[in-house]
Amino acid sequence: MKIYNTLTGKKQEFTPLQEGKVKMYACGITVSGDAHIGHAYQALIYDIIRKYFEKCGFDVTYARNYTDVDDKIIARSHETGIPALTYANMMIERIDELMRRFEVDDPDIWLKASENIDNIIDFVQKLIDSGHAYATDRGDVYFAVESFKGYGKLSGRRLEDAYESVRIENEENKRNPLDFALWKSAKEGEIFWESPWGKGRPGWHIECSAMNRQAFGDQIDVHGGGRDLIFPHHENEIAQSEALTGKPFAKYWIHNGLIKVNGQKMSKSLGNSLLLEDLLNEFSAETIKYALLQTNYRGDINITDNLFADADKHMYGFYKILDEADESGLTCDGGNEQIDAEFDRAMDDDFNTAKALADLFAIFKSIKAKLKAGDSSAIADVNQVRKTYGLLGLFKQQPKKFIADYEAKNRQDVPDEVKELVAQRALAKQNKDWAKADEIRAKITALGYSVKDTKDGAVIEKL
């Protein structure tokens, strides 16, 4: 198995720190608002990576965090009048419910900043004692970036270049503009905890390092997150963790690509955020997963107007063949090991879900041909597809349910004009007036619909 390691900038053979075991952490959601498709995508990717490690025989311990202490959460607390932790817990419950609907499994360990304050304070104090951090008269504590010689090794930024893009906070209290907050003194009306430096709360970066150390010790095998976290968040995690322990923090750094909507980065400021709940109300979890996993995890996903509708159509086609197999009366024990081997070959190449999904078209074409020929090995193929691709969260529904849901949803949107044309075409075919039937089909196409003749009658679909 080869994994692209952001730290080295290349694919590397995966070898865990301890033979047979994988310690894996992924940065989770800051619970200042509802879960959007970007949150869902990241949760899906690391759930799949965890499951593939397990498929390969590794004993995996997977931890994920909720950031429940943060500037944005405090801002939402002030807007709503709900205490910050109460607001955060309320949002966590909502997001958990959505992730269940999205059919992403929980990690082995859930971590929250608010439940690790003592660990965070201890971590910060040790950094002060070792000369890597300093407290100010105001009660803020900063990490001294220049004290860590490896700063920039993840992002590839030179120290002098980082000055141009770093977020500056309370610069007047810093020794160096690059220094970042480990502990923030509390402002009036903010949530706070008592500390050796006064009332305050943790900085964002220290939360992940302290929670990681509490869950796993000094080192982990895999650290994941979105590509937007490479700098400064993950760069700062490395600095503070390795400054404390003197050991490499994570052996492999994995970063998923970002979500774009019609070519633009998804953001609240642009008003183009796609909420997970809205998508789940329109499409099945499987359809959303299929749409997202067509792009390999390191690439950006461009969500166009038709992305999910097209994915839905593909899944409908696959499920039609599964239903045909279920109704065929053919039987076969076991599965097709070649299908599983090809899937593993794709996933061993940096978790290439795009290649694994592309293989489905040839697999289902073969299944359809075998069913037509009465070849019972089609059932072995179907058994294997359900087992193997179940790791990606696909083909877990009853085919008839998926088909019925898809057809009901798409029929609802068919205009009466199109339905009338389909009826006229059927009559023309009945009268063997093929030229008129073709003319009517062209009119249906011009209105944005297609009509397919099946043994159960005409099926109308959006183009």
Side-chain angles (χ1 to χ4, degrees):
M1 182 195 306
K2 288 190 175 180
I3 299 173
Y4 184 86
N5 188 353
T6 306
L7 188 63
T8 60
K10 61 184 179 182
K11 290 182 185 178
Q12 294 178 276
E13 195 74 32
F14 179 73
T15 307
L17 295 166
Q18 183 179 351
E19 186 176 356
K21 295 184 180 296
V22 175
K23 295 188 289 186
M24 174 177 165
Y25 177 90
C27 288
I29 301 172
T30 298
V31 291
S32 57
D34 289 317
H36 55 62
I37 190 61
H39 296 140
Y41 178 56
Q42 196 219 51
L44 172 64
I45 288 300
Y46 295 107
D47 183 44
I48 287 172
I49 289 173
R50 179 259 294 267
K51 288 172 179 172
Y52 190 66
F53 278 136
E54 291 174 340
K55 184 176 191 284
C56 293
F58 292 105
D59 178 11
V60 181
T61 304
Y62 170 40
R64 188 172 176 82
N65 79 305
Y66 272 129
T67 297
D68 62 348
V69 181
D70 175 82
D71 291 344
K72 293 178 182 177
I73 295 169
I74 291 171
R76 291 293 293 148
S77 170
H78 288 159
E79 290 172 16
T80 61
I82 301 172
L85 287 184
T86 302
Y87 177 84
N89 287 329
M90 178 182 73
M91 294 307 302
I92 287 171
E93 287 182 10
R94 288 173 60 172
I95 292 167
D96 279 346
E97 181 182 346
L98 280 174
M99 290 300 175
R100 299 296 79 72
R101 284 181 61 190
F102 191 48
E103 298 172 9
V104 169
D105 291 344
D106 283 339
D108 301 298
I109 303 171
W110 270 121
L111 297 166
K112 293 181 186 178
S114 64
E115 295 174 353
N116 282 270
I117 298 299
D118 289 345
N119 298 325
I120 292 168
I121 289 172
D122 179 68
F123 199 116
V124 173
Q125 186 60 60
K126 284 182 167 65
L127 286 174
I128 293 174
D129 294 343
S130 62
H132 289 288
Y134 57 92
T136 70
D137 293 339
R138 288 176 49 171
D140 299 304
V141 181
Y142 292 101
F143 183 86
V145 166
E146 289 188 334
S147 74
F148 180 69
K149 301 305 179 187
Y151 195 80
K153 63 182 177 181
L154 182 69
S155 61
R157 296 172 186 243
R158 298 179 304 165
L159 203 59
E160 53 269 31
D161 294 337
Y163 281 93
E164 298 178 7
S165 57
V166 74
R167 180 182 177 189
I168 306 299
E169 295 177 341
N170 298 333
E171 187 173 349
E172 70 275 10
N173 292 309
K174 294 182 181 183
R175 297 175 184 172
N176 185 315
L178 276 180
D179 295 348
F180 56 88
L182 300 173
W183 187 263
K184 297 182 177 183
S185 57
K187 299 182 179 68
E188 187 68 30
E190 287 186 349
I191 186 173
F192 66 85
W193 286 266
E194 296 288 350
S195 80
W197 319 287
K199 295 176 180 179
R201 57 190 170 87
W204 176 33
H205 312 301
I206 194 65
E207 295 175 357
C208 286
S209 287
M211 290 187 291
N212 251 301
R213 191 161 186 256
Q214 175 64 20
F216 293 119
D218 291 345
Q219 295 178 287
I220 59 174
D221 296 287
V222 177
H223 194 310
R227 194 176 66 239
D228 55 329
L229 299 182
I230 294 174
F231 186 88
H233 185 50
H234 288 167
E235 195 74 75
N236 291 351
E237 278 192 63
I238 288 175
Q240 61 205 9
S241 293
E242 297 186 5
L244 180 68
T245 68
K247 303 173 185 177
F249 175 30
K251 190 172 181 182
Y252 301 90
W253 287 84
I254 299 177
H255 293 95
N256 59 277
L258 306 180
I259 299 287
K260 296 181 178 180
V261 179
N262 292 319
Q264 288 186 305
K265 182 179 177 180
M266 189 177 69
S267 70
K268 286 183 180 179
S269 61
L270 292 174
N272 63 352
S273 293
L274 295 174
L275 297 182
L276 178 57
E277 184 174 16
D278 292 340
L279 283 170
L280 286 170
N281 288 339
E282 187 172 358
F283 299 102
S284 71
E286 290 195 17
T287 289
I288 298 170
K289 289 175 182 179
Y290 181 87
L292 297 175
L293 296 174
Q294 290 177 96
T295 301
N296 198 40
Y297 79 93
R298 284 196 292 123
D300 291 346
I301 296 177
N302 185 30
I303 297 180
T304 59
D305 293 339
N306 296 323
L307 177 68
F308 296 108
D310 288 345
D312 213 20
K313 189 181 295 186
H314 287 312
M315 289 298 294
Y316 172 72
F318 294 146
Y319 266 113
K320 290 282 281 185
I321 296 173
L322 292 179
D323 185 54
E324 186 180 340
D326 289 348
E327 294 294 318
S328 68
L330 298 172
T331 60
C332 183
D333 294 331
N336 183 333
E337 292 182 0
Q338 184 61 30
I339 290 175
D340 197 55
E342 289 297 324
F343 177 86
D344 287 354
R345 189 171 290 113
M347 293 295 284
D348 280 342
D349 183 16
D350 197 29
F351 312 109
N352 195 344
T353 59
K355 173 63 169 61
L357 291 188
D359 289 345
L360 282 173
F361 292 95
I363 292 169
F364 274 97
K365 184 178 180 180
S366 174
I367 291 172
K368 192 170 180 64
K370 289 179 179 180
L371 288 171
K372 187 175 182 180
D375 184 347
S376 61
S377 69
I379 308 305
D381 294 352
V382 166
N383 292 343
Q384 196 65 60
V385 164
R386 283 175 163 147
K387 181 179 180 181
T388 296
Y389 284 84
L391 187 144
L392 303 182
L394 304 179
F395 309 121
K396 294 187 172 185
Q397 291 191 44
Q398 290 296 321
K400 289 191 186 306
K401 183 181 185 308
F402 189 98
I403 291 166
D405 289 347
Y406 178 89
E407 291 179 352
K409 178 174 60 179
N410 283 275
R411 282 187 187 125
Q412 289 172 0
D413 297 328
V414 177
D416 290 340
E417 181 183 2
V418 173
K419 292 178 182 177
E420 177 61 28
L421 286 170
V422 170
Q424 292 175 17
R425 177 177 173 273
L427 182 60
K429 289 186 66 179
Q430 185 178 330
N431 295 330
K432 297 186 179 181
D433 189 346
W434 310 120
K436 186 172 184 180
D438 289 343
E439 180 185 335
I440 295 170
R441 179 192 284 273
K443 291 180 180 179
I444 293 169
T445 301
L447 291 171
Y449 290 84
S450 68
V451 57
K452 295 180 181 178
D453 298 312
T454 73
K455 62 182 181 180
D456 299 319
V459 174
I460 308 168
E461 293 182 346
K462 288 182 179 179
L463 291 174

